[in-house]
Amino acid sequence: MPETTIHQPVEKPRNPHIENFKNIVKRLKKNKAAMVGGFLILLFVITAFVGPYLVPFSAGEQVLVNKLQGPSAEHWFGTDHLGRDIFSRIIHGMSITLYIGFFSVVIGAIVGVIFGIISGYFGGKIDTLIMRAMDILLAFPGILLALGVVTILGPSLNNVIIAVGIFSVPSFARIVRGSTLSVKELEYIDAVRALGASDFRIIVRHVLPNVFSPIIVQATLRIATAILTAAGLSFLGLGAQPPKPEWGAMLSDGRNYIFDAGHVALFPGLAIVIVVLAFNIFGDGLRDALDPKMKS
């Protein structure tokens, strides 16, 4: 009687990177607050791109006879002292706010990661020199450091991005340095070095991917700080200049009418609070998802 051969299905090898990503998403989904923050961030990004084309008024349209009107069916958030629709200006200003937050953090992250990896990997005098420079920057309160940079460079939107980026550098540098010190002591790094890999190759191919998670978390949290700092600078008249509908500048205009027409300052202030809160709670959830051991 002929033997019957049963062929067992061969399982395809699982990609550890894909599996790790699925686990991160699964842990992130369990955090309801983080999911709400992520949904709000997605909503803000979509609104920044398509919102200006949907609102009924342009950002600079002035109708002086309608100035300081309260919220109504025509003007959802009311009008400001020049008769401009506040809701339309907030929607137009969302792209400016996200632009400042994103690009200032990109600048701070790129410079900070480079300094942090060099400091942690090579150590010695280079480490001491870089870290003392970071300590000097950290000795200044963030808003004060940004204020000094903008004062030197002059008030403008791009200078605000540079200023916020500069004061974001030390936080990235310190986090990346700490992670690099841990990664470079791993056995497989010694093995790669023994095989003749250059320092540049080790840093790019082996160290940087292992310190990427804390960089992402720090960047998400730092965007909230960058938005808040940029709004503070605009509130002082050193950020985006009129007639750009930047939320900090709108808040500054509204303080003159806070008792007579409180809505002029209320709605830009609420917009800043909601955006900053969304990035903060999403960043906290992302940190817990990427490294559950860090969860308190």
Side-chain angles (χ1 to χ4, degrees), residues 272-296:
I272 295 171
V273 169
I274 293 172
V275 170
V276 170
L277 182 62
F279 276 102
N280 275 329
I281 61 178
F282 180 72
D284 287 338
L286 188 61
R287 177 188 58 204
D288 296 338
L290 290 172
D291 190 356
K293 293 181 292 184
M294 294 177 63
K295 188 174 182 178
S296 56

Side-chain angles (χ1 to χ4, degrees), residues 218-245:
Q218 178 64 15
T220 306
L221 294 171
R222 204 67 187 175
I223 288 176
T225 305
I227 291 173
L228 201 57
T229 304
L233 292 174
S234 295
F235 182 84
L236 297 174
L238 297 174
Q241 299 299 300
K244 288 184 179 178

Side-chain angles (χ1 to χ4, degrees), residues 1-138:
M1 187 172 181
E3 294 183 359
T4 305
T5 304
I6 300 176
H7 297 281
Q8 296 290 339
V10 179
E11 292 186 4
K12 294 182 179 180
R14 296 181 178 182
N15 189 320
H17 298 292
I18 295 178
E19 292 298 318
N20 186 44
F21 177 76
K22 289 181 178 179
N23 291 333
I24 291 172
V25 173
K26 189 181 297 184
R27 289 194 294 266
L28 191 60
K29 285 182 177 179
K30 293 180 180 179
N31 191 324
K32 301 302 181 183
M35 293 303 296
V36 172
F39 172 77
L40 288 175
I41 292 172
L42 180 62
L43 180 63
F44 297 149
V45 172
I46 294 173
T47 302
F49 281 102
V50 304
Y53 301 101
L54 302 178
V55 292
F57 302 96
S58 66
E61 184 177 348
Q62 301 180 16
V63 184
L64 293 177
V65 294
N66 293 334
K67 67 178 182 179
L68 300 179
Q69 287 188 358
S72 63
E74 183 180 6
H75 302 286
W76 292 359
F77 291 174
T79 59
D80 64 6
H81 61 293
L82 294 177
R84 297 173 296 191
D85 183 68
I86 295 176
F87 176 76
S88 298
R89 286 177 61 77
I90 287 177
I91 298 300
H92 280 277
M94 190 167 290
S95 59
I96 298 175
T97 298
L98 296 180
Y99 171 77
I100 294 173
F102 178 77
F103 282 102
S104 60
V105 169
V106 167
I107 293 173
I110 291 174
V111 178
V113 167
I114 292 173
F115 282 154
I117 286 185
I118 291 175
S119 177
Y121 185 82
F122 293 103
K125 294 182 178 180
I126 295 177
D127 180 26
T128 302
L129 180 63
I130 292 177
M131 284 300 102
R132 295 300 76 77
M134 296 300 107
D135 289 341
I136 292 173
L137 291 178
L138 285 172

